[in-house]
Amino acid sequence: MATAVDHEGADHDWRPGSADSVGRSPVGKLAAQIARRIETDVMRRGWPVGESLGSEQELREHYGVSRSVLREAVRLVEHHQVARMRRGPGGGLIVSAPDAGPATRSIVIYLEYIGTSVDDLLHARQLLEPIAAGLATERLTEEGIDTLRATLDEELALPAAAAEGSLDPLHPVLGQLSGNPVLQLFIDVLTRLTVRYAHTSRRIPKAELLDSGNTSRAEHRAIVDAVIAGEGARAQTLLTTHLEWVAAWIEKHRVRRARITGAVIEPEMAEGPRAKLAEVVASWIHDDIAARGWQVGSVLGSEADLLARYQISRAALREAVRLLEYHSVARMRRGPGGGLIVTEPEPQASIDTMALFLEFQGATSDDLRIVRDALELGAVARAAERHAAGDEEVAERLAAAVHWPAEGPAEDTRKADLFHSELAALAGNPVLSLFLDIITELFRRHAAGQDQPLPGDKAADEVTQVHQRILDAVLAGDAGVARHRMRRHLDALIPWWH
């Protein structure tokens, strides 16, 4: 069996504390920091695809790190598809053009682990997809018309069993035609996750499948006709009604307490070099972990067990383990009782990966603001509903968050965001919380890239007063006024998003 090799063929050291224990050892943590610095430098330079950031020796000198640390950092950068190491003349770390794959897979892993429900997904879709339909109507081109009609034709060519409201390309296409890369990516994630829930549905009679397929197709055609006709409000209404139908369909047929199933990465994507294979292997291991109920602390097997189970080389397995460790899905432990240990995923990997991809896509402050407004207004409405239903936690947590900008430690750069993150958490929908964290992270990357200072203590009193007024409306049970005040507050923040 081949040994794991790095880019130049030297064997890796897999002892505890070695450079390969990514995310767990001091070396691994430093590598993650260097990866972040490389990615920030790429963004500052305008993401110049095809340009070299320097040779390995030049990068080691520039960042002041050892060979092992740099190579671990490069692996993370390559996983994010920000850059690739190329050997030979004219080589070096070459800036790449990423696709949505790593970003989508990263967020699917985290949302699946924390137990995101189909209700959470559809609530988020109902907040975002009508906005996409409205924007698609405003920005539609002749090419867009052709795309919509071709999408309908593809759906008609599918068997009725595939048209059950969420297993179709129309929803992501509307996200694409909205011209808003944030909407496009979030809608793609939400539809993929909804499809994964469909794998848990009960067996459905053929006649019922045919009927639901016809209903879905008719509703899709009506939505497309409204978009093409320039009737944005009608398209939004039709799409909202359609998503309500999708929710009812899934509610009727889903198996209670079923976990999301289905591959994060499909086997046919296993093309290209070892790094691509490693992503597929990581997906297989992830799916096995999910199928076992994500038993944190359990051992999946020794390295030898895993090599035999997945029929892969040691090199491919070890690359896959690095990715699993990065996402906190599992980690390799040596010694008695060791092996690949199931761990608890953390959201930061999802946040970083999504923010990087959206940065490359050129998401503007207006793109971010449109999505943030929809998510925040949805969150404040949900929090008001919880308080009206007698949940005392809403008042306690929001009251504490209101005073945090003025009373929290000066070094806490996120203290002004606490009220907003608490609202999202109190909405009880982890999708809203994660999406808002991604938007906030991307805003901070924008600000850092432009050396733009964040609001300081001078604005703390004003922010506290505005947050208090929103809270007053929530406590009074007036969700409409709470949404109005939140909307005004978000509008006042626009200068900080440019």
Side-chain angles (χ1 to χ4, degrees), residues 428-455:
N429 186 335
V431 179
L432 302 190
S433 295
L434 186 59
F435 281 4
L436 282 170
D437 284 344
I438 292 165
I439 291 174
T440 300
E441 175 66 22
L442 188 52
F443 164 63
R444 291 184 179 281
R445 288 172 183 258
H446 275 184
Q450 300 170 10
D451 296 321
Q452 175 182 336
L454 296 173

Side-chain angles (χ1 to χ4, degrees), residues 33 39 111 171 199 495:
Q33 294 171 8
E39 291 162 355
L111 288 176
H171 300 269
H199 288 276

Side-chain angles (χ1 to χ4, degrees), residues 130-154:
I131 296 173
L135 289 173
T137 303
E138 295 173 6
R139 301 170 178 178
L140 192 64
T141 63
E142 291 287 341
E143 183 180 357
I145 293 173
D146 292 341
T147 299
L148 286 172
R149 288 180 170 160
T151 301
L152 288 179
D153 290 342
E154 290 173 12

Side-chain angles (χ1 to χ4, degrees), residues 249-278:
W249 194 96
I250 293 178
E251 175 66 23
K252 178 180 178 181
H253 297 98
R254 67 175 171 170
V255 177
R256 298 298 174 186
R257 297 184 180 179
R259 295 188 62 88
I260 306 174
T261 61
V264 177
I265 309 173
E266 294 76 12
E268 57 266 25
M269 292 179 65
E271 300 175 357
R274 184 183 72 201
K276 197 69 171 181
L277 175 59

